[in-house]
Amino acid sequence: MSALTENIKLEIKKLSGNNSDFNKYVVFNDVSFIIPKNKITTLFAPMGSGKSTLLKLIMSQNNLNIKYYGNRIFYIPSEIVLIDGFTVAENIKLYVSSHCEDKINDALKIVGLDGYKNHIPINRSKGFIFRVMLAIGLIIKSDLIIIDDYFNNMRNITKIEIFNLLIELKNKMNLTFFISSSNFSNSLTISDKIIFAKGNPFEVLYDIDIELNYQNLELKLESEQFSLLKDRLTKKLSELRIRDIII
């Protein structure tokens, strides 16, 4: 890795056209952006704009316009289904070796599910299921975790707990997160960087680094700096004519 890319986890340069392997109707128009290392970057764009198609293209690692400077990517889709009747550990072992009990125990403890290894997750919340998937990403030693518009329709208290967990993992384990979102409030709350985009064709309109460093999200959300930034970016959304959903 060169000195020019040592702080970059993933880079997209001038991605154009479509890809029939994923969605032939999504057309990219000169898409370029950088995902910095050890940060939480959010791609904010409306539903149906092509975010998921872009994430799948990144996951394929089969496009010359996309450069990944890391070891392993893990993808968490917007809809996760655990196998009925399987314990948490059995669901995890669908993705990892069955000979890693200690790693499973350690990962579940990190994501806040200590003691749930043999639990059968019947009708569990989105937050619980997300923690299981996050544990898998830790076990396989991913350095980039991609999260596809997952946090809509999640209770706010659960969402804040999950966001604080992601920030803790970023800081303590040097992980990089790339989140797609159609919710501006979520994007602003969790992100170190936001990339604003639109669809038809899919193109990047604007990006901004969010430099608000607080001990926890509660302090950040109550700060005057956050309030002023939210007002400024809300006006920017209007200028860019990006349709937002608030959930």
Side-chain angles (χ1 to χ4, degrees):
M1 185 181 298
S2 71
L4 293 175
T5 60
E6 64 180 358
N7 294 317
I8 298 173
K9 183 59 67 174
L10 188 137
E11 183 176 18
I12 297 180
K13 285 186 177 180
K14 298 184 179 301
L15 176 66
S16 292
N18 63 2
N19 190 301
S20 58
D21 290 340
F22 301 110
N23 189 333
K24 65 181 180 181
Y25 300 108
V26 174
V27 178
F28 299 106
N29 182 30
D30 199 25
V31 175
S32 298
F33 61 81
I34 287 171
I35 299 174
K37 185 185 295 183
N38 302 341
K39 300 288 186 181
I40 299 174
T41 300
T42 295
L43 174 64
F44 172 72
M47 285 184 171
S49 58
K51 298 188 301 298
S52 294
T53 301
L54 179 60
L55 298 189
K56 291 172 183 175
L57 197 56
I58 291 172
M59 286 298 300
S60 74
Q61 298 186 48
N62 192 31
N63 189 291
L64 296 178
N65 299 87
I66 302 174
K67 303 293 185 184
Y68 168 52
Y69 306 106
N71 298 313
R72 190 163 189 174
I73 305 175
F74 184 65
Y75 173 70
I76 300 180
S78 57
E79 296 294 335
I80 304 170
V81 178
L82 300 182
I83 303 299
D84 287 342
F86 277 32
T87 65
V88 167
E90 288 169 338
N91 272 284
I92 290 174
K93 288 176 183 177
L94 296 173
Y95 296 83
V96 304
S97 168
S98 60
H99 303 291
C100 56
E101 295 293 334
D102 289 343
K103 291 181 180 179
I104 292 174
N105 291 335
D106 291 343
L108 289 176
K109 185 174 183 178
I110 290 171
V111 301
L113 294 182
D114 191 23
Y116 281 92
K117 184 174 75 170
N118 297 316
H119 177 75
I120 298 177
I122 300 173
N123 298 323
R124 300 303 302 187
S125 70
K126 289 189 73 174
F128 185 97
I129 296 172
F130 181 82
R131 289 173 191 266
V132 173
M133 295 301 293
L134 193 56
I136 295 168
L138 298 182
I139 293 168
I140 66 174
K141 296 183 178 180
S142 303
D143 55 5
L144 171 60
I145 297 179
I146 293 177
I147 304 167
D148 190 358
D149 215 355
Y150 187 81
F151 303 111
N152 295 331
N153 301 313
M154 181 182 286
R155 289 191 313 153
N156 194 59
I157 188 170
T158 301
K159 194 184 300 181
I160 293 300
E161 289 174 355
I162 294 293
F163 287 175
N164 275 322
L165 174 60
L166 296 183
I167 292 169
E168 182 180 2
L169 293 175
K170 175 196 71 172
N171 292 334
K172 292 185 177 180
M173 301 183 71
N174 296 322
L175 293 179
T176 302
F177 293 95
F178 183 42
I179 302 170
S180 79
S181 177
S182 53
N183 184 303
F184 174 62
S185 182
N186 288 348
S187 303
L188 187 57
T189 299
I190 185 62
S191 304
D192 298 308
K193 176 180 180 177
I194 304 176
I195 301 163
F196 296 87
K198 73 170 191 65
N200 194 32
F202 187 97
E203 58 186 22
V204 172
L205 302 175
Y206 176 73
D207 67 63
I208 184 172
D209 293 320
I210 309 295
E211 298 179 353
L212 299 178
N213 298 313
Y214 289 88
Q215 188 175 1
N216 57 54
L217 281 181
E218 289 80 2
L219 292 175
K220 174 182 175 180
L221 296 176
E222 293 171 359
S223 70
E224 183 179 1
Q225 283 181 300
F226 181 83
S227 180
L228 292 172
L229 179 62
K230 186 173 183 178
D231 288 344
R232 179 159 67 91
L233 290 181
T234 299
K235 292 178 182 177
K236 189 69 177 180
L237 276 180
S238 180
E239 292 173 11
L240 297 173
R241 297 184 179 180
I242 298 178
R243 176 170 44 87
D244 179 32
I245 62 167
I246 303 295
I247 295 182

